[in-house]
Amino acid sequence: MECSGSRGREFWILLSIFVRSLATSTPPALHTIERCVLPLLDRLDFLWDCTDLRALRTLIYHLELAGLQLPFHTRQALACELIRRALACESVSEARDCVDFAKIIVNHYFHAVVGAIEEAALPFANAKQDGSDSDHMLAVVEEEVCWYICEDSRLCEYIFEEKYDANGLDNNRIRLVLQKALRSRDSAFRHQVLRLVAACSFNSKSAFLRLAPIMETALYLEDFKAREYVLTVFMDVIYMHHHALKFEEIEHLLVPFLYSSTAKMQYAAVIGNGRLLLYNCFPEETEYLLSAMFERYVYEIPPQCSSLNESLEPVLKAMHIFFQDYSGGKDLHQDEIANTLVFMCLKKLDEGVVLINELRNLMHDSPNKKTEARKLRLAVRFGLSLCDNGLETVMASLAININSRFNNVMLLKEDCLSWFLLN
């Protein structure tokens, strides 16, 4: 069979008819297919010349019908070519057909499709967006690729496949794919991607750290429903993997969201921070997290957020339940609560909210920060209400710590108590 030069659409239609007749004959003419057809199709310079996708589908289909297949490396190379060809298509439907057939040609084997995508080197985020037809088609192909990777459990498979890490696959690639997916105009698709990212994060600490930037982007840029979902996932995943996480890796996801712009996000933050404290997940950060909960408890909603205040009852109820469980009816965590109250006072001392008059051995509020000082006393009073006879202990400890910081100060616990009893 002559196979040199460019072949037109008619040639491929006739070839597909020829293969179909051989494959459907009784019995199938397997020897003829193997001897005359497969060697030609295994030549990429021959196979890539076929521009008629329907004829190409017919060829592959009838080969499989006869129980024959092209070598896998040939099929994967063809899948790569089809993805490249999709970028040059003139219509969206043609581009999608090319990507779909690229998946079919490798029997939907996930890593073969990913390999073809890598080989085709789709530019994704690196492309210049000038509104041209090529840019539009690139967006179509990217969306098809994103849909494929984000179907079912393939995202998890992509992340957890060890051989990809062993071969040094650029892990940022998956981030580019997901970031592109999260820029889709289809909110249902974006939420599906977030659910898959969450599933991967629950399954693996390494996946969580790798995908956390993706979720953080959604946490700040998505609609509020998605933000609430993402924050809840973050709190659950942090608790699940806390034994393998460094606090500085996730600190920015904890305390700031106690003051979120929606009540549901505040509720998720209260539950998340409270659970970490109740189960002693980060013991070295107990005072920091607990002081944040105390400060949130006495936080006053600004007037411009009065509409939010109407929906904060679940948040306040969750905080009451946390403090009740944490103090155990004044039976548990007494030392932690006392240490936290001292920690809070010393922190405000460092921030200039509370000042020390070294000549008179006197604690007093900064004239410019009286509101903060008042909130500090409110928080300390609430904390003391959770302790059995904790006032004497806290004030004595506070005096000792202040005296150790200032060489010329000799505060007594009564001096600290005088400041504490101010209105």
Side-chain angles (χ1 to χ4, degrees):
M1 181 181 293
E2 178 63 38
C3 58
S4 62
S6 178
R7 288 157 288 276
R9 181 170 179 268
E10 295 78 9
F11 169 84
W12 291 102
I13 293 174
L14 290 173
L15 180 59
S16 66
I17 294 172
F18 174 63
V19 171
R20 182 180 62 188
S21 65
L22 293 175
T24 57
S25 62
T26 306
L30 299 182
H31 179 70
T32 303
I33 296 176
E34 290 175 336
R35 182 171 58 87
C36 299
V37 179
L38 285 182
L40 287 177
L41 297 181
D42 194 27
R43 287 175 47 185
L44 294 179
D45 62 331
F46 176 82
L47 193 59
W48 287 357
D49 195 39
C50 179
T51 57
D52 191 311
L53 199 60
R54 180 178 297 179
L56 189 57
R57 282 178 180 268
T58 301
L59 278 172
I60 302 300
Y61 171 76
H62 285 97
L63 283 177
E64 293 181 350
L65 189 65
L68 300 172
Q69 271 193 335
L70 294 172
F72 187 76
H73 66 87
T74 302
R75 288 185 282 129
Q76 187 161 6
L78 179 58
C80 173
E81 175 63 19
L82 286 166
I83 291 173
R84 286 199 189 102
R85 190 179 295 178
L87 296 173
C89 289
E90 295 182 356
S91 72
V92 171
S93 60
E94 289 176 0
R96 287 176 175 162
D97 285 344
C98 284
V99 177
D100 285 341
F101 191 49
K103 294 182 283 187
I104 293 171
I105 202 75
V106 289
N107 296 333
H108 287 275
Y109 178 55
F110 177 73
H111 291 302
V113 176
V114 172
I117 293 167
E118 295 290 332
E119 185 66 26
L122 291 184
F124 286 98
N126 297 326
K128 293 182 179 179
Q129 300 296 319
D130 57 10
S132 64
D133 291 339
S134 60
D135 276 340
H136 174 66
M137 205 54 65
L138 172 61
V140 170
V141 174
E142 287 176 342
E143 186 169 350
E144 289 298 308
V145 171
C146 290
W147 270 112
Y148 180 73
I149 289 179
C150 295
E151 285 174 3
D152 301 327
S153 62
R154 291 194 181 102
L155 178 58
C156 295
E157 185 181 357
Y158 185 27
I159 292 174
F160 299 137
E161 180 62 41
E162 293 181 1
K163 71 176 183 178
Y164 272 75
D165 289 336
N167 291 336
L169 178 69
D170 181 7
N171 289 332
N172 287 327
R173 191 66 174 174
I174 188 65
R175 292 184 185 180
L176 290 176
V177 172
L178 293 174
Q179 285 169 348
K180 188 69 181 182
L182 289 174
R183 288 197 291 271
S184 169
R185 294 181 179 179
D186 185 344
S187 61
F189 177 46
R190 296 197 309 272
H191 292 180
Q192 176 191 355
V193 174
L194 289 173
R195 287 192 294 272
L196 286 165
V197 171
C200 292
S201 299
F202 278 115
N203 278 286
S204 164
K205 173 244 181 180
S206 61
F208 167 58
L209 292 178
R210 190 182 306 175
L211 297 176
I214 301 295
M215 297 185 72
E216 284 193 54
T217 300
L219 188 58
Y220 294 103
L221 299 181
E222 268 291 348
D223 58 75
F224 282 115
K225 182 178 180 181
R227 292 186 195 185
E228 291 161 1
Y229 170 76
V230 170
L231 183 60
T232 301
V233 168
F234 264 132
M235 292 301 173
D236 290 343
V237 173
I238 288 170
Y239 170 68
M240 177 173 288
H241 298 309
H242 72 269
H243 58 282
L245 294 173
K246 295 179 180 178
F247 187 76
E248 56 267 23
E249 294 173 328
I250 46 84
E251 177 182 357
H252 63 290
L253 299 170
L254 300 174
V255 171
F257 288 96
L258 291 170
Y259 304 90
S260 295
S261 52
T262 74
K264 288 184 179 179
M265 292 179 77
Q266 289 188 26
Y267 180 81
V270 168
I271 296 297
N273 283 277
R275 182 166 49 191
L276 296 179
L277 284 164
L278 286 170
Y279 291 96
N280 200 27
C281 295
F282 296 100
E284 70 283 359
E285 302 295 340
T286 295
E287 287 84 2
Y288 172 71
L289 290 176
L290 188 55
S291 66
M293 295 289 276
F294 279 129
E295 289 176 359
R296 173 62 187 83
Y297 183 82
V298 300
Y299 175 71
E300 297 176 359
I301 301 297
Q304 61 268 28
C305 298
S306 57
S307 59
L308 177 62
N309 193 35
E310 297 175 1
S311 60
L312 282 178
E313 184 176 351
V315 178
L316 298 176
K317 184 177 180 180
M319 295 198 75
H320 281 300
I321 292 173
F322 161 73
F323 284 119
Q324 182 179 3
D325 290 346
Y326 192 77
S327 65
K330 300 186 178 181
D331 291 330
L332 297 175
H333 302 293
Q334 298 291 291
D335 290 343
E336 288 87 347
I337 294 173
N339 290 339
T340 298
L341 299 179
V342 175
F343 168 82
M344 293 175 67
C345 293
L346 295 176
K347 179 183 174 185
K348 295 302 181 183
L349 186 66
D350 292 337
E351 294 174 357
V353 175
V354 179
L355 304 177
I356 300 295
N357 186 323
E358 298 185 25
L359 296 177
R360 300 175 57 189
N361 288 337
L362 179 68
M363 287 180 67
H364 62 95
D365 298 344
S366 168
N368 299 323
K369 299 184 177 182
K370 288 186 175 294
T371 300
E372 287 186 64
R374 182 179 64 83
K375 290 181 180 179
L376 171 62
R377 278 192 292 274
L378 287 174
V380 174
R381 286 168 184 167
F382 174 68
L384 289 171
S385 72
L386 304 177
C387 298
D388 278 324
N389 302 318
L391 180 60
E392 294 283 329
T393 302
V394 170
M395 293 301 133
S397 178
L398 181 58
I400 292 172
N401 278 275
I402 292 175
N403 292 339
S404 67
R405 292 192 178 198
F406 297 88
N407 294 328
N408 299 325
V409 174
M410 292 297 294
L411 281 179
L412 300 176
K413 65 180 180 181
E414 288 79 10
D415 300 318
C416 297
L417 185 60
S418 296
W419 163 83
F420 172 70
L421 294 177
L422 291 174
N423 292 326

